[in-house]
mmCIF file of all heavy atoms in Angstrom:
data_model
loop_
_atom_site.group_PDB
_atom_site.id
_atom_site.type_symbol
_atom_site.label_atom_id
_atom_site.label_comp_id
_atom_site.label_asym_id
_atom_site.label_seq_id
_atom_site.Cartn_x
_atom_site.Cartn_y
_atom_site.Cartn_z
ATOM 1 N N PHE A 1 185.529 39.964 226.411
ATOM 2 C CA PHE A 1 185.505 38.940 227.451
ATOM 3 C C PHE A 1 184.170 38.937 228.196
ATOM 4 O O PHE A 1 183.587 37.874 228.447
ATOM 5 C CB PHE A 1 186.645 39.163 228.444
ATOM 6 C CG PHE A 1 186.573 38.274 229.656
ATOM 7 C CD1 PHE A 1 186.954 36.946 229.571
ATOM 8 C CD2 PHE A 1 186.105 38.765 230.871
ATOM 9 C CE1 PHE A 1 186.885 36.112 230.692
ATOM 10 C CE2 PHE A 1 186.023 37.944 231.987
ATOM 11 C CZ PHE A 1 186.410 36.616 231.890
ATOM 12 N N VAL A 2 183.684 40.104 228.552
ATOM 13 C CA VAL A 2 182.424 40.197 229.301
ATOM 14 C C VAL A 2 181.264 39.687 228.451
ATOM 15 O O VAL A 2 180.412 38.927 228.934
ATOM 16 C CB VAL A 2 182.175 41.649 229.747
ATOM 17 C CG1 VAL A 2 180.795 41.777 230.402
ATOM 18 C CG2 VAL A 2 183.263 42.111 230.701
ATOM 19 N N LEU A 3 181.225 40.096 227.177
ATOM 20 C CA LEU A 3 180.146 39.651 226.300
ATOM 21 C C LEU A 3 180.174 38.130 226.134
ATOM 22 O O LEU A 3 179.133 37.472 226.131
ATOM 23 C CB LEU A 3 180.249 40.333 224.937
ATOM 24 C CG LEU A 3 180.038 41.851 224.921
ATOM 25 C CD1 LEU A 3 180.134 42.379 223.491
ATOM 26 C CD2 LEU A 3 178.688 42.217 225.521
ATOM 27 N N GLY A 4 181.378 37.577 226.011
ATOM 28 C CA GLY A 4 181.501 36.129 225.870
ATOM 29 C C GLY A 4 181.065 35.393 227.124
ATOM 30 O O GLY A 4 180.379 34.364 227.055
ATOM 31 N N LEU A 5 181.443 35.939 228.291
ATOM 32 C CA LEU A 5 181.099 35.303 229.558
ATOM 33 C C LEU A 5 179.589 35.322 229.783
ATOM 34 O O LEU A 5 178.992 34.297 230.142
ATOM 35 C CB LEU A 5 181.805 36.025 230.708
ATOM 36 C CG LEU A 5 181.467 35.546 232.123
ATOM 37 C CD1 LEU A 5 181.821 34.078 232.301
ATOM 38 C CD2 LEU A 5 182.184 36.410 233.153
ATOM 39 N N VAL A 6 178.969 36.466 229.569
ATOM 40 C CA VAL A 6 177.521 36.566 229.790
ATOM 41 C C VAL A 6 176.764 35.778 228.729
ATOM 42 O O VAL A 6 175.709 35.191 229.013
ATOM 43 C CB VAL A 6 177.073 38.035 229.823
ATOM 44 C CG1 VAL A 6 175.570 38.136 230.097
ATOM 45 C CG2 VAL A 6 177.837 38.809 230.888
ATOM 46 N N SER A 7 177.291 35.726 227.495
ATOM 47 C CA SER A 7 176.667 34.896 226.456
ATOM 48 C C SER A 7 176.677 33.425 226.881
ATOM 49 O O SER A 7 175.681 32.712 226.712
ATOM 50 C CB SER A 7 177.406 35.054 225.123
ATOM 51 O OG SER A 7 177.259 36.358 224.607
ATOM 52 N N ARG A 8 177.798 32.989 227.446
ATOM 53 C CA ARG A 8 177.870 31.603 227.924
ATOM 54 C C ARG A 8 176.870 31.370 229.046
ATOM 55 O O ARG A 8 176.216 30.319 229.104
ATOM 56 C CB ARG A 8 179.291 31.295 228.403
ATOM 57 C CG ARG A 8 179.462 29.900 228.990
ATOM 58 C CD ARG A 8 180.905 29.470 228.957
ATOM 59 N NE ARG A 8 181.761 30.326 229.744
ATOM 60 C CZ ARG A 8 182.039 30.124 231.042
ATOM 61 N NH1 ARG A 8 181.507 29.087 231.674
ATOM 62 N NH2 ARG A 8 182.848 30.937 231.688
ATOM 63 N N ALA A 9 176.738 32.356 229.940
ATOM 64 C CA ALA A 9 175.775 32.225 231.035
ATOM 65 C C ALA A 9 174.350 32.127 230.500
ATOM 66 O O ALA A 9 173.534 31.341 231.000
ATOM 67 C CB ALA A 9 175.909 33.414 231.983
ATOM 68 N N MET A 10 174.029 32.894 229.461
ATOM 69 C CA MET A 10 172.681 32.854 228.892
ATOM 70 C C MET A 10 172.434 31.535 228.169
ATOM 71 O O MET A 10 171.318 30.999 228.209
ATOM 72 C CB MET A 10 172.476 34.041 227.947
ATOM 73 C CG MET A 10 172.383 35.377 228.652
ATOM 74 S SD MET A 10 171.812 36.713 227.567
ATOM 75 C CE MET A 10 173.191 36.837 226.407
ATOM 76 N N ILE A 11 173.455 31.007 227.501
ATOM 77 C CA ILE A 11 173.300 29.708 226.838
ATOM 78 C C ILE A 11 173.053 28.622 227.873
ATOM 79 O O ILE A 11 172.201 27.737 227.686
ATOM 80 C CB ILE A 11 174.538 29.394 225.985
ATOM 81 C CG1 ILE A 11 174.621 30.367 224.805
ATOM 82 C CG2 ILE A 11 174.506 27.949 225.481
ATOM 83 C CD1 ILE A 11 175.915 30.279 224.017
ATOM 84 N N MET A 12 173.797 28.679 228.982
ATOM 85 C CA MET A 12 173.536 27.745 230.076
ATOM 86 C C MET A 12 172.129 27.966 230.640
ATOM 87 O O MET A 12 171.478 27.023 231.096
ATOM 88 C CB MET A 12 174.566 27.929 231.182
ATOM 89 C CG MET A 12 175.997 27.548 230.801
ATOM 90 S SD MET A 12 176.177 25.793 230.347
ATOM 91 C CE MET A 12 176.249 25.930 228.555
ATOM 92 N N GLY A 13 171.663 29.213 230.582
ATOM 93 C CA GLY A 13 170.302 29.511 231.020
ATOM 94 C C GLY A 13 169.268 28.827 230.143
ATOM 95 O O GLY A 13 168.237 28.350 230.641
ATOM 96 N N ILE A 14 169.503 28.778 228.839
ATOM 97 C CA ILE A 14 168.588 28.072 227.933
ATOM 98 C C ILE A 14 168.555 26.584 228.269
ATOM 99 O O ILE A 14 167.490 25.967 228.329
ATOM 100 C CB ILE A 14 169.015 28.289 226.470
ATOM 101 C CG1 ILE A 14 168.922 29.772 226.097
ATOM 102 C CG2 ILE A 14 168.146 27.446 225.523
ATOM 103 C CD1 ILE A 14 169.483 30.098 224.722
ATOM 104 N N ALA A 15 169.747 26.007 228.497
ATOM 105 C CA ALA A 15 169.814 24.590 228.859
ATOM 106 C C ALA A 15 169.122 24.336 230.203
ATOM 107 O O ALA A 15 168.405 23.335 230.360
ATOM 108 C CB ALA A 15 171.272 24.139 228.924
ATOM 109 N N ALA A 16 169.324 25.234 231.176
ATOM 110 C CA ALA A 16 168.680 25.077 232.479
ATOM 111 C C ALA A 16 167.165 25.233 232.370
ATOM 112 O O ALA A 16 166.404 24.534 233.048
ATOM 113 C CB ALA A 16 169.252 26.096 233.467
ATOM 114 N N LEU A 17 166.712 26.139 231.512
ATOM 115 C CA LEU A 17 165.281 26.301 231.255
ATOM 116 C C LEU A 17 164.668 24.984 230.771
ATOM 117 O O LEU A 17 163.602 24.568 231.235
ATOM 118 C CB LEU A 17 165.053 27.374 230.189
ATOM 119 C CG LEU A 17 164.802 28.813 230.615
ATOM 120 C CD1 LEU A 17 164.659 29.680 229.379
ATOM 121 C CD2 LEU A 17 163.559 28.930 231.477
ATOM 122 N N SER A 18 165.349 24.362 229.816
ATOM 123 C CA SER A 18 164.837 23.112 229.259
ATOM 124 C C SER A 18 164.757 22.025 230.326
ATOM 125 O O SER A 18 163.809 21.231 230.353
ATOM 126 C CB SER A 18 165.719 22.647 228.092
ATOM 127 O OG SER A 18 167.015 22.263 228.538
ATOM 128 N N LEU A 19 165.736 21.994 231.232
ATOM 129 C CA LEU A 19 165.713 21.006 232.305
ATOM 130 C C LEU A 19 164.617 21.319 233.318
ATOM 131 O O LEU A 19 163.979 20.404 233.861
ATOM 132 C CB LEU A 19 167.073 20.950 233.003
ATOM 133 C CG LEU A 19 167.192 19.964 234.172
ATOM 134 C CD1 LEU A 19 166.929 18.537 233.706
ATOM 135 C CD2 LEU A 19 168.564 20.061 234.820
ATOM 136 N N ASP A 20 164.373 22.598 233.575
ATOM 137 C CA ASP A 20 163.351 22.977 234.549
ATOM 138 C C ASP A 20 161.971 22.513 234.113
ATOM 139 O O ASP A 20 161.107 22.231 234.957
ATOM 140 C CB ASP A 20 163.359 24.496 234.753
ATOM 141 C CG ASP A 20 162.601 24.919 236.006
ATOM 142 O OD1 ASP A 20 162.465 24.085 236.924
ATOM 143 O OD2 ASP A 20 162.140 26.067 236.064
ATOM 144 N N LEU A 21 161.729 22.434 232.814
ATOM 145 C CA LEU A 21 160.432 21.958 232.326
ATOM 146 C C LEU A 21 160.147 20.547 232.818
ATOM 147 O O LEU A 21 159.047 20.255 233.277
ATOM 148 C CB LEU A 21 160.395 22.004 230.795
ATOM 149 C CG LEU A 21 159.131 21.426 230.152
ATOM 150 C CD1 LEU A 21 157.907 22.259 230.515
ATOM 151 C CD2 LEU A 21 159.288 21.331 228.633
ATOM 152 N N ILE A 22 161.141 19.665 232.732
ATOM 153 C CA ILE A 22 160.910 18.273 233.129
ATOM 154 C C ILE A 22 161.212 18.035 234.604
ATOM 155 O O ILE A 22 160.610 17.160 235.229
ATOM 156 C CB ILE A 22 161.727 17.299 232.253
ATOM 157 C CG1 ILE A 22 163.231 17.565 232.373
ATOM 158 C CG2 ILE A 22 161.272 17.396 230.809
ATOM 159 C CD1 ILE A 22 164.090 16.543 231.641
ATOM 160 N N LEU A 23 162.116 18.824 235.183
ATOM 161 C CA LEU A 23 162.475 18.639 236.587
ATOM 162 C C LEU A 23 161.522 19.380 237.509
ATOM 163 O O LEU A 23 160.966 18.809 238.454
ATOM 164 C CB LEU A 23 163.914 19.107 236.826
ATOM 165 C CG LEU A 23 164.440 19.056 238.259
ATOM 166 C CD1 LEU A 23 164.367 17.641 238.809
ATOM 167 C CD2 LEU A 23 165.864 19.588 238.333
ATOM 168 N N GLY A 24 161.304 20.655 237.245
ATOM 169 C CA GLY A 24 160.468 21.464 238.119
ATOM 170 C C GLY A 24 158.987 21.202 237.971
ATOM 171 O O GLY A 24 158.238 21.315 238.946
ATOM 172 N N TYR A 25 158.549 20.857 236.754
ATOM 173 C CA TYR A 25 157.122 20.661 236.514
ATOM 174 C C TYR A 25 156.742 19.197 236.314
ATOM 175 O O TYR A 25 155.560 18.858 236.406
ATOM 176 C CB TYR A 25 156.683 21.465 235.286
ATOM 177 C CG TYR A 25 156.819 22.953 235.489
ATOM 178 C CD1 TYR A 25 157.961 23.635 235.075
ATOM 179 C CD2 TYR A 25 155.814 23.683 236.109
ATOM 180 C CE1 TYR A 25 158.093 25.001 235.265
ATOM 181 C CE2 TYR A 25 155.932 25.052 236.307
ATOM 182 C CZ TYR A 25 157.077 25.705 235.887
ATOM 183 O OH TYR A 25 157.203 27.046 236.089
ATOM 184 N N GLY A 26 157.718 18.339 236.034
ATOM 185 C CA GLY A 26 157.408 16.940 235.808
ATOM 186 C C GLY A 26 158.101 15.985 236.751
ATOM 187 O O GLY A 26 157.877 14.774 236.662
ATOM 188 N N ALA A 27 158.933 16.498 237.659
ATOM 189 C CA ALA A 27 159.665 15.674 238.636
ATOM 190 C C ALA A 27 160.505 14.599 237.962
ATOM 191 O O ALA A 27 160.631 13.496 238.482
ATOM 192 C CB ALA A 27 158.693 15.035 239.639
ATOM 193 N N MET A 28 161.084 14.920 236.803
ATOM 194 C CA MET A 28 161.947 13.983 236.082
ATOM 195 C C MET A 28 163.397 14.438 236.243
ATOM 196 O O MET A 28 163.833 15.400 235.614
ATOM 197 C CB MET A 28 161.556 13.922 234.601
ATOM 198 C CG MET A 28 160.204 13.293 234.335
ATOM 199 S SD MET A 28 159.722 13.365 232.589
ATOM 200 C CE MET A 28 158.840 14.931 232.536
ATOM 201 N N VAL A 29 164.130 13.755 237.109
ATOM 202 C CA VAL A 29 165.520 14.115 237.395
ATOM 203 C C VAL A 29 166.415 13.422 236.374
ATOM 204 O O VAL A 29 166.665 12.225 236.460
ATOM 205 C CB VAL A 29 165.906 13.706 238.825
ATOM 206 C CG1 VAL A 29 167.328 14.173 239.133
ATOM 207 C CG2 VAL A 29 164.922 14.256 239.840
ATOM 208 N N SER A 30 166.889 14.183 235.412
ATOM 209 C CA SER A 30 167.705 13.620 234.331
ATOM 210 C C SER A 30 169.182 13.898 234.567
ATOM 211 O O SER A 30 169.588 15.062 234.648
ATOM 212 C CB SER A 30 167.273 14.205 232.983
ATOM 213 O OG SER A 30 168.152 13.796 231.951
ATOM 214 N N PHE A 31 169.972 12.832 234.666
ATOM 215 C CA PHE A 31 171.419 12.980 234.786
ATOM 216 C C PHE A 31 172.105 12.754 233.442
ATOM 217 O O PHE A 31 173.322 12.557 233.399
ATOM 218 C CB PHE A 31 171.976 12.015 235.834
ATOM 219 C CG PHE A 31 172.396 12.695 237.101
ATOM 220 C CD1 PHE A 31 171.535 12.739 238.186
ATOM 221 C CD2 PHE A 31 173.620 13.313 237.205
ATOM 222 C CE1 PHE A 31 171.908 13.371 239.358
ATOM 223 C CE2 PHE A 31 173.999 13.961 238.366
ATOM 224 C CZ PHE A 31 173.140 13.993 239.458
ATOM 225 N N GLY A 32 171.330 12.809 232.372
ATOM 226 C CA GLY A 32 171.918 12.699 231.041
ATOM 227 C C GLY A 32 171.541 13.871 230.165
ATOM 228 O O GLY A 32 171.629 13.803 228.941
ATOM 229 N N HIS A 33 171.109 14.971 230.806
ATOM 230 C CA HIS A 33 170.600 16.109 230.035
ATOM 231 C C HIS A 33 171.683 16.773 229.195
ATOM 232 O O HIS A 33 171.397 17.366 228.159
ATOM 233 C CB HIS A 33 169.969 17.132 230.979
ATOM 234 C CG HIS A 33 168.941 17.994 230.327
ATOM 235 N ND1 HIS A 33 167.722 17.510 229.888
ATOM 236 C CD2 HIS A 33 168.943 19.313 230.015
ATOM 237 C CE1 HIS A 33 167.028 18.486 229.347
ATOM 238 N NE2 HIS A 33 167.745 19.593 229.403
ATOM 239 N N ALA A 34 172.932 16.687 229.644
ATOM 240 C CA ALA A 34 174.020 17.305 228.889
ATOM 241 C C ALA A 34 174.213 16.654 227.529
ATOM 242 O O ALA A 34 174.820 17.256 226.638
ATOM 243 C CB ALA A 34 175.317 17.229 229.686
#
């Protein structure tokens, strides 16, 4: 359970990383990133 939960958190981290590239550095607020 713990490995699955933290794996999910890291996968969400990859998705958040990708959004930070355009949001944090490009000011592109995407509401369709999912």
Side-chain angles (χ1 to χ4, degrees):
F1 172 77
V2 174
L3 295 181
L5 176 60
V6 182
S7 293
R8 177 159 62 90
M10 289 192 294
I11 293 171
M12 294 298 103
I14 297 173
L17 267 178
S18 67
L19 179 60
D20 196 24
L21 175 65
I22 60 174
L23 177 58
Y25 295 95
M28 292 175 270
V29 184
S30 173
F31 253 97
H33 205 68

